[in-house]
Amino acid sequence: MIVRIGKSKDILNVLRYNQNKVKACEASILYLHKVAYPLYKVEDLSVYFQRYFQAYLLKNISTQRPVRHISLNPHPKDKLSDKELLLIAKTYMAKVNLKNQPYIVYKHFDLKRIHIHIATIAVNLWGKKIEKLYDYSHAHNACREITKEFGLTGYQKKDKGYKRFLLDIVNHAEFSVYDQINSVVCTLPKHYLFTSFKKYNALLSLFNVQAIKSKRKDHVFYVALDKNKNKASNIFSCHRFDLVVDEDFLKSHYNKSTQLRVDKTSELSELKKMIQAYFKQSKSFSEFKKLLKNQGINIVELSNKLKKDFVFISHELKVVFNFKKLSQKLNSKDNSYFNTLRKKIENPIKNLVLQRYNQSQKEYKDLQSHESFNFLEDFMLESNQSSFVCFFNYLLSGPSFDMQEKQFEDSIKKKKKKSKSKYLV
């Protein structure tokens, strides 16, 4: 089991974080200690729970960050029930001398591994800080003791039964985020050619990974992304991976890829011609992307403040390249080019209606020969509009019937039938 301790000033932020998870059905309240659950409906539970911690925080003397957000993470192999998780939380709080403090235990299942979050404070009723809580080694020792007492599986740096992950899209919700990023970072530079850091990031984005340059020289960090391409995991240093893909390694790879791309110039030119042909055929940008994806080519949009950069990745040639002419068209005609195509494919009925209306307006203008006939202006406009509306309704819905006339005709037909039947009798 691994413990993580977060220190802060405001208990409300910690409570709101956990309550938002509860609202999103990604967590549940497991236990309340010295905190009462409301018997009536409350608008904001986090504000309600905050009242039970305020008495301790108001008496705080000198502790700058009295709030504690503790995360206890058992191994995913351990299938633990709610009772066992609650016992683990209570024993941990007792070993860290926090059993007399008010705290709330949340069970989180937003990730594939179930883990516990504990919201509490490190200040007692007299406003003095609890010194042992500041000792991280004491917390880790408590976790080791709990793993032995409950017979849990411990975390090891190198597991003998570990199977290496294949190259796949990184899922930040899974337990092994580090191993997934490690497989991506170690595999891609061996197979793909790219000549800049932007192109390298474009390739990584297909696997939900982002590379970040550090302020330090020759140092690169890596992070997992979610579906919306936002950061969704801890940051990992390049020196932790099996292949150290730092800035020096990338610079040497840029030089190698420029040399190797010379052999593929003819293939790249043919590929660009094919991309241009698909661009002319496509009716929208999403359709253009689908057409290229079927041919094993991905487009990655790298948005800047001024304009968008479009990077193309060919999985057959294993090359990441720019297409300046087409990217300029996509920047300038991302809306206008595809909108002109849509106008050509518009409903022809609308065009006919507009032509008929314009013709009627021209005929009316020809009738205006003398100023004395200006009193006919309103009448002519109304008649033209009514003819336009009738024409439009006829094209869209067909001829319309008056219900009263129809009922009158039906009643006459019924009377005729009755009269015929009398004469026959």
Side-chain angles (χ1 to χ4, degrees), residues 170-196:
V170 174
N171 186 3
H172 69 93
E174 289 186 358
F175 166 67
S176 55
V177 178
Y178 162 75
D179 295 316
Q180 292 178 69
I181 295 171
N182 185 23
S183 63
V184 171
V185 171
C186 295
T187 308
L188 291 178
K190 293 177 182 177
H191 299 282
Y192 284 85
L193 302 176
F194 47 87
T195 56
S196 65

Side-chain angles (χ1 to χ4, degrees), residues 4-37:
R4 289 175 183 171
I5 301 166
K7 301 177 183 180
S8 63
K9 294 179 182 179
D10 193 5
I11 187 70
L12 189 62
N13 291 330
V14 177
L15 293 170
R16 275 182 178 163
Y17 170 78
N18 289 295
Q19 285 301 130
N20 287 331
K21 292 282 184 182
V22 173
K23 285 179 183 177
C25 297
E26 294 178 350
S28 62
I29 297 170
L30 197 63
Y31 182 67
L32 297 167
H33 185 258
K34 289 189 177 182
V35 178
Y37 197 83

Side-chain angles (χ1 to χ4, degrees), residues 162-222:
Y162 173 74
K163 293 180 181 179
R164 186 162 295 283
F165 284 83
L166 297 171
L167 185 65
D168 200 358
I169 296 167
V170 174
N171 186 3
H172 69 93
E174 289 186 358
F175 166 67
S176 55
V177 178
Y178 162 75
D179 295 316
Q180 292 178 69
I181 295 171
N182 185 23
S183 63
V184 171
V185 171
C186 295
T187 308
L188 291 178
K190 293 177 182 177
H191 299 282
Y192 284 85
L193 302 176
F194 47 87
T195 56
S196 65
F197 193 73
K198 281 185 181 180
K199 291 175 185 177
Y200 179 51
N201 255 328
L203 182 61
L204 289 172
S205 67
L206 298 178
F207 298 90
N208 290 339
V209 181
Q210 186 182 356
I212 304 164
K213 283 185 179 180
S214 175
K215 292 179 181 179
R216 292 167 57 189
K217 290 181 179 179
D218 306 331
H219 203 77
V220 180
F221 293 100
Y222 293 89

Side-chain angles (χ1 to χ4, degrees), residues 62-73:
S62 61
T63 309
Q64 293 180 357
R65 293 183 294 171
V67 179
R68 294 291 177 270
H69 192 191
I70 301 159
S71 174
L72 298 173
N73 301 280

Side-chain angles (χ1 to χ4, degrees), residues 8-141:
S8 63
K9 294 179 182 179
D10 193 5
I11 187 70
L12 189 62
N13 291 330
V14 177
L15 293 170
R16 275 182 178 163
Y17 170 78
N18 289 295
Q19 285 301 130
N20 287 331
K21 292 282 184 182
V22 173
K23 285 179 183 177
C25 297
E26 294 178 350
S28 62
I29 297 170
L30 197 63
Y31 182 67
L32 297 167
H33 185 258
K34 289 189 177 182
V35 178
Y37 197 83
L39 298 172
Y40 52 90
K41 286 185 179 180
V42 180
E43 290 182 1
D44 195 353
L45 268 173
S46 55
V47 175
Y48 175 81
F49 289 145
Q50 187 191 12
R51 297 171 187 172
Y52 292 91
F53 298 94
Q54 278 180 350
Y56 293 80
L57 294 169
L58 289 170
K59 292 179 182 179
N60 182 19
I61 298 167
S62 61
T63 309
Q64 293 180 357
R65 293 183 294 171
V67 179
R68 294 291 177 270
H69 192 191
I70 301 159
S71 174
L72 298 173
N73 301 280
H75 201 279
K77 290 180 182 178
D78 298 327
K79 306 290 181 178
L80 300 171
S81 63
D82 290 348
K83 288 182 180 179
E84 289 172 339
L85 289 168
L86 183 56
L87 281 171
I88 288 165
K90 284 181 176 179
T91 50
Y92 175 81
M93 295 297 279
K95 288 185 178 184
V96 189
N97 294 329
L98 289 172
K99 62 179 181 179
N100 296 322
Q101 295 295 105
Y103 61 88
I104 304 171
V105 181
Y106 293 92
K107 178 187 174 183
H108 281 246
F109 35 86
D110 52 345
L111 305 176
K112 285 193 174 180
R113 54 181 177 83
I114 292 167
H115 55 287
I116 304 166
H117 281 236
I118 303 168
T120 186
I121 46 175
V123 177
N124 58 18
L125 281 168
W126 296 274
K128 293 181 180 179
K129 64 180 180 180
I130 299 164
E131 292 180 354
K132 284 190 176 180
L133 192 66
Y134 284 86
D135 191 5
Y136 285 99
S137 62
H138 182 70
H140 288 295
N141 289 328

Side-chain angles (χ1 to χ4, degrees), residues 119-297:
T120 186
I121 46 175
V123 177
N124 58 18
L125 281 168
W126 296 274
K128 293 181 180 179
K129 64 180 180 180
I130 299 164
E131 292 180 354
K132 284 190 176 180
L133 192 66
Y134 284 86
D135 191 5
Y136 285 99
S137 62
H138 182 70
H140 288 295
N141 289 328
C143 282
R144 286 169 192 165
E145 290 173 5
I146 288 165
T147 50
K148 287 179 182 178
E149 286 177 13
F150 288 87
L152 304 173
T153 54
Y155 284 92
Q156 296 177 358
K157 290 182 179 179
K158 290 183 180 179
D159 205 357
K160 290 181 180 179
Y162 173 74
K163 293 180 181 179
R164 186 162 295 283
F165 284 83
L166 297 171
L167 185 65
D168 200 358
I169 296 167
V170 174
N171 186 3
H172 69 93
E174 289 186 358
F175 166 67
S176 55
V177 178
Y178 162 75
D179 295 316
Q180 292 178 69
I181 295 171
N182 185 23
S183 63
V184 171
V185 171
C186 295
T187 308
L188 291 178
K190 293 177 182 177
H191 299 282
Y192 284 85
L193 302 176
F194 47 87
T195 56
S196 65
F197 193 73
K198 281 185 181 180
K199 291 175 185 177
Y200 179 51
N201 255 328
L203 182 61
L204 289 172
S205 67
L206 298 178
F207 298 90
N208 290 339
V209 181
Q210 186 182 356
I212 304 164
K213 283 185 179 180
S214 175
K215 292 179 181 179
R216 292 167 57 189
K217 290 181 179 179
D218 306 331
H219 203 77
V220 180
F221 293 100
Y222 293 89
V223 66
L225 305 175
D226 59 4
K227 290 179 181 179
N228 299 320
K229 302 300 178 186
N230 297 320
K231 294 175 185 177
S233 74
N234 295 325
I235 295 169
F236 300 99
S237 174
C238 60
H239 296 289
R240 289 185 62 185
F241 299 129
D242 296 337
L243 181 66
V244 181
V245 184
D246 55 356
E247 206 165 344
D248 289 334
F249 178 86
L250 290 170
K251 284 177 182 177
S252 63
H253 187 79
Y254 300 156
N255 295 325
K256 286 179 184 177
S257 56
T258 48
Q259 291 173 3
L260 292 169
R261 271 186 65 175
V262 176
D263 300 330
K264 297 183 179 183
T265 50
S266 60
E267 294 174 352
L268 276 170
S269 62
E270 289 177 1
L271 189 67
K272 286 179 180 179
K273 287 177 184 177
M274 185 186 76
I275 291 166
Q276 277 184 337
Y278 279 120
F279 179 69
K280 289 176 182 177
Q281 292 174 14
S282 57
K283 297 172 186 176
S284 63
F285 184 70
S286 59
E287 189 180 346
F288 178 53
K289 286 176 85 172
K290 283 180 183 178
L291 287 169
L292 291 182
K293 199 173 182 180
N294 292 329
Q295 299 297 321
I297 301 161

Side-chain angles (χ1 to χ4, degrees), residues 367-374:
L367 289 170
Q368 287 179 337
S369 58
H370 199 271
E371 293 178 358
S372 300
F373 293 94
N374 286 333

